[in-house]
Amino acid sequence: MQASLSASWIWPALALLAILTLTWWVYHPGLSGGFLFDDFANLPAIGASGPVTHWATFWRYITSGMADPTGRPLTLLTFLIDARNWPASPYPFKLTNVILHLCNGLLLYALLVRLGMLLDVDARRARIAAWFGCGAWLLHPLLLSTTLYIVQREAMLPATCVLAGLLLWLHGRACLRDGHLKSGPAWMIAGLGGFTLLGTLAKANGALLPMYALLIELLVLMPRHVMQSLASQRTNRVIVALFCAVPAFAILGYLAWKGVLGSIHGGHAGARPWSIGQRLLTEPRVLVDYLKLLWIPRPFTSGLFNDQFAVSTSWLHPASTLPCLLAVLALIGGAWWQRRRHPALALALLFYFAGQSLESSSIPLELYFEHRNYIPALLMFWPLGLWLADLRTLRLAKIMLLAVIPLLLAGMTHARAQVWGNVRTQALIWAHINPDSPRAQANAAEVEMGHGHPQAAAARLQKLLATEPSQTQLTFNLIGARCMAGEGLRPGDMEIALTSMRSTADVGALIAHWYERMLPVASEGRCPGLTPETLLTLIDAGLQNPNLKSAGMQQDLIYLKGLTALTMHQPDLALSDFMRALDQHVRPGMALEAAATLGSYGHPSLGLRMLDHYEQVQGNAMPPSFGMAMVHEWVLSRQRYWPHELAHLKQELTEATMSNHANATPRTSTPSPCASHCTN
């Protein structure tokens, strides 16, 4: 009996160890890859106010997040495992992500075993099905773009919290069912309440944990596992109502309200080129495409570039809009209709659509990202595992499929990981797969320039510019490629760039980073046809663009005018532009950046005047937005961070002025124009 009991646990443990080892081997080639896109927007916060080596810098860093009202501090906290300052190596970050992916696989296995037992499946079949469901999820190629994209730890940590929270809740519910009226509710509340809070502090979609629990309660537990006593029944109802139903319906209500409001008012959603109504029409097509990639996987997909995904402008344009909407409704309705006959399949489908509800509905996020499948797909392959684990029929065929499917997924994911481990190959493959994506082509062009092939980069950019003339990322990189090739600007290049600046919907941080590279080139005459005066015409075109009228964007552009004036030896004009930029959106970070820049160019007395102007207008500063921004502002105030920085810079500029440094030769390199992207 004891030997039989040991064997029943040893073989599943070995099988699970094998799938985890295979996953590690599959992902290992991707660990040599680099940082990507949003990594550069988020990770430099680690060293923005100094190395995170003591409590003061720790609190400044942990409260610096700008995504979601919460700022995602739990995710920021885990980045400190990998680095305490910036710049840093990408390898430790990617390694931690892969380890977290493996831990999520372990938690998923435990949850699937538990769910299988709750469906009254025998223990052997439940473990085989859990092994398959967990293995297919761990090895699926679609999820690699979450795991190896460092910043998407934001999507992985909520999965950890969801899995741990559901396990604790199910444990507590079992205790309550057995009559433990104190420990049972404590475990349930810790699972649902505690891990919903933790998940939300990692990313907003962690708030969907109550919705997942409610689905499990309705589809699996209520029909089969009724509480044995009246007190247990009442306690369970109260906990489910307060910690499952109320949060779940509050989120659904909020999403519905946003959708109705957006559809009524119409218009574009902020800087997006589509309206909320168009987004709601488009997302069913996105969800169908996700499901195709999950069930008909392939090693190479569009990856991080989906800006070419066509927006649905009506029920029939594109033609797939209405069929996809009907398909999504049919899957949801069919799952609910078949919930008693096929509870595992119903739960997997409804779990998937619940997981997509926040990011694929009425909130104006970008239309398509592969990482949005990481949590929703947790249960996706488990129903197939339950069918394959039932070896009473088609025994040989099912055993073969249990082995072959994970190996096929592993092969595809390994091939994809090899691409993710090579920045140049990755960029070129993405550009080939996404020929109509401006982001993909601009990224490939930057990589080609980085490898000494500016002519190839220019040809790539010019080809897409014929159909995407408003894309500044194409026009700016084309100018950079021309300059790098040594041939200078061609007739029409600047006119194309001006056209894009006049019509672009948003330039984000692109213009600042591009200026950082190109202003020294223009001021030193290293690129025929590119001068500080021509760069100023680009800035002026942006200032007249009706899409770039936000205070932050206007501040960025005016700041760059001041920076250009400095390179043209017009310090008084630069000071005027810096002051005008500060008046757009009063922030201490911008004021200190401008003052320091004036000092670094040999004009410390003007830097002092810039600080004097800030002290005059600092009362016009906008209060921080609700959420973590308010906490961050409180931390900075408590530490007297800005007064200290202001006093320190004033002292340096005063000493420089007294030492007659104002007549020193201006520096030739350009400081980073942070403008509205500075730490506040």
Side-chain angles (χ1 to χ4, degrees):
M1 179 68 179
Q2 187 175 358
S4 174
L5 186 62
S6 299
S8 69
W9 285 103
I10 289 174
W11 289 112
L14 290 176
L16 186 58
L17 179 61
I19 209 75
L20 293 173
T21 304
L22 180 60
T23 303
W24 170 259
W25 174 80
V26 160
Y27 271 89
H28 190 264
L31 295 177
S32 58
F35 294 112
L36 293 165
F37 313 110
D38 285 349
D39 291 341
F40 294 105
N42 291 273
L43 297 177
I46 295 172
S49 63
V52 186
T53 55
H54 50 85
W55 284 112
T57 52
F58 172 81
W59 288 115
R60 291 201 295 270
Y61 165 68
I62 210 69
T63 61
S64 65
M66 295 180 290
D68 300 340
T70 67
R72 304 176 184 176
L74 182 60
T75 304
L76 296 182
L77 179 64
T78 66
F79 288 144
L80 294 179
I81 297 171
D82 312 306
R84 303 290 177 85
N85 201 1
W86 190 262
S89 167
Y91 181 85
F93 292 92
K94 290 181 181 286
L95 178 63
T96 301
N97 275 23
V98 173
I99 293 171
L100 181 60
H101 186 54
L102 296 175
C103 292
N104 286 341
L106 282 170
L107 290 171
L108 177 60
Y109 174 80
L111 177 64
L112 295 180
V113 170
R114 189 66 181 259
L115 290 175
M117 302 291 283
L118 289 170
L119 286 175
D120 300 325
V121 173
D122 67 84
R124 179 171 173 271
R125 183 184 172 196
R127 284 196 288 268
I128 294 174
W131 175 86
F132 178 85
C134 151
W137 181 83
L138 278 171
L139 294 166
H140 201 286
L142 186 64
L143 304 185
L144 182 139
S145 59
T146 305
T147 307
L148 290 182
Y149 188 11
I150 293 168
V151 77
Q152 287 313 323
R153 192 177 301 176
E154 296 171 341
M156 301 175 71
L157 283 168
T160 310
C161 295
V162 163
L163 292 165
L166 291 176
L167 284 167
L168 286 183
W169 166 64
L170 289 173
H171 172 72
R173 194 185 187 280
C175 292
L176 181 62
R177 186 169 180 263
D178 292 339
H180 300 286
L181 297 177
K182 291 184 179 179
S183 62
W187 284 112
M188 294 173 74
I189 293 171
L192 294 175
F195 278 93
T196 297
L197 176 62
L198 287 174
T200 306
L201 292 176
K203 191 179 180 180
N205 58 356
L208 295 174
L209 170 55
M211 200 178 299
Y212 304 137
L214 183 61
L215 287 172
I216 295 172
E217 179 74 25
L218 294 175
L219 274 61
V220 177
L221 298 173
M222 283 180 60
R224 294 167 184 82
H225 301 276
V226 179
M227 292 292 166
Q228 296 179 354
S229 69
L230 185 60
S232 296
Q233 290 178 17
R234 289 174 177 171
T235 303
N236 185 59
R237 286 197 199 102
V238 170
I239 292 175
V240 168
L242 292 179
F243 291 92
C244 295
V246 170
F249 285 108
I251 291 172
L252 293 175
Y254 171 77
L255 294 173
W257 175 75
K258 291 280 288 185
V260 170
L261 203 64
S263 299
I264 291 174
H265 290 291
H268 290 175
R272 308 298 186 190
W274 34 259
S275 67
I276 294 296
Q278 290 172 337
R279 188 179 202 277
L280 291 172
L281 286 174
T282 306
E283 285 306 312
R285 292 175 39 238
V286 172
L287 292 174
V288 169
D289 198 64
Y290 289 159
L291 289 170
K292 283 165 55 181
L293 290 174
L294 284 167
W295 284 107
I296 311 174
R298 55 180 187 265
F300 307 118
T301 65
S302 57
L304 307 186
F305 299 108
N306 301 285
D307 50 319
Q308 80 283 10
F309 196 89
V311 177
S312 293
T313 55
S314 70
W315 297 101
L316 300 177
H317 188 273
S320 58
T321 301
L322 183 58
C324 286
L325 174 61
L326 294 175
V328 169
L329 293 175
L331 286 171
I332 295 172
W336 183 257
W337 179 47
Q338 291 292 315
R339 67 189 184 279
R340 298 194 183 277
R341 293 183 59 190
H342 303 288
L345 181 60
L347 178 60
L349 285 172
L350 293 175
F351 190 101
Y352 180 81
F353 288 112
Q356 293 286 1
S357 62
L358 203 62
E359 295 180 296
S360 300
S361 59
S362 56
I363 297 177
L365 306 169
E366 293 204 36
L367 295 175
Y368 190 120
F369 272 125
E370 292 178 359
H371 67 255
R372 292 176 185 166
N373 291 279
Y374 192 81
I375 298 177
L378 284 170
L379 307 188
M380 184 60 67
F381 311 106
W382 174 56
L384 176 60
L386 284 170
W387 180 74
L388 292 174
D390 184 3
L391 300 177
R392 293 172 297 180
T393 59
L394 303 173
R395 182 182 182 89
L396 182 59
K398 289 180 178 179
I399 290 174
M400 290 181 63
L401 287 173
L402 282 168
V404 169
I405 291 175
L407 291 176
L408 288 175
L409 293 174
M412 287 187 278
T413 305
H414 186 259
R416 195 174 190 191
Q418 289 178 312
V419 170
W420 274 71
N422 186 308
V423 174
R424 184 169 185 269
T425 302
Q426 181 185 49
L428 295 179
I429 286 179
W430 277 344
H432 177 74
I433 294 174
N434 305 289
D436 299 323
S437 165
R439 291 179 185 171
Q441 301 309 319
N443 176 63
E446 287 185 0
V447 170
E448 285 173 326
M449 285 188 278
H451 285 79
H453 303 290
Q455 291 90 350
R460 174 186 300 281
L461 295 165
Q462 210 162 13
K463 181 179 179 181
L464 190 56
L465 268 171
T467 57
E468 298 284 352
S470 66
Q471 291 289 335
T472 52
Q473 58 194 318
L474 300 179
T475 57
F476 288 179
N477 278 304
L478 177 62
I479 292 173
R482 298 275 198 235
C483 293
M484 184 178 179
E487 59 188 59
L489 271 61
R490 295 183 181 178
D493 284 349
M494 187 54 63
E495 188 56 41
I496 294 173
L498 286 169
T499 300
S500 69
M501 278 297 284
R502 293 188 187 109
S503 57
T504 186
D506 182 28
V507 294
L510 171 67
I511 183 72
H513 296 317
W514 183 76
Y515 240 80
E516 181 179 4
R517 297 196 306 269
M518 300 309 299
L519 188 54
V521 175
S523 62
E524 295 166 16
R526 289 188 271 136
C527 182
L530 186 69
T531 65
E533 289 81 5
T534 58
L535 290 177
L536 278 177
T537 62
L538 286 176
I539 298 299
D540 289 334
L543 287 170
Q544 298 305 314
N545 185 339
N547 299 318
L548 305 180
K549 291 299 184 182
S550 69
M553 197 67 252
Q554 290 282 301
Q555 183 176 77
D556 284 358
L557 294 173
I558 298 171
Y559 181 94
L560 292 175
K561 280 178 70 77
L563 201 59
T564 309
L566 275 177
T567 67
M568 297 170 68
H569 309 295
Q570 299 173 334
D572 291 326
L573 179 58
L575 175 62
S576 175
D577 285 332
F578 287 156
M579 288 180 176
R580 194 156 58 95
L582 178 63
D583 292 342
Q584 296 289 322
H585 181 31
V586 179
R587 297 177 303 106
M590 188 268 154
L592 268 67
E593 177 79 11
T597 300
L598 286 164
S600 70
Y601 272 84
H603 308 288
S605 61
L606 297 184
L608 288 170
R609 287 174 59 186
M610 182 69 203
L611 294 181
D612 290 340
H613 179 71
Y614 165 69
E615 292 180 333
Q616 293 170 11
V617 300
Q618 61 181 327
N620 298 330
M622 293 290 291
S625 56
F626 176 78
M628 187 56 74
M630 295 177 64
V631 178
H632 184 62
E633 187 68 26
W634 179 84
V635 167
L636 294 177
S637 175
R638 179 89 175 183
Q639 295 181 2
R640 295 190 55 79
Y641 177 76
W642 288 121
H644 176 270
E645 293 293 306
L646 182 65
H648 179 70
L649 182 57
K650 261 191 172 182
Q651 181 180 355
E652 287 193 343
L653 293 173
T654 301
E655 291 175 356
T657 302
M658 293 175 64
S659 301
N660 203 23
H661 282 184
N663 295 322
T665 303
R667 55 180 284 177
T668 56
S669 61
T670 306
S672 173
C674 69
S676 65
H677 311 291
C678 287
T679 301
N680 257 329

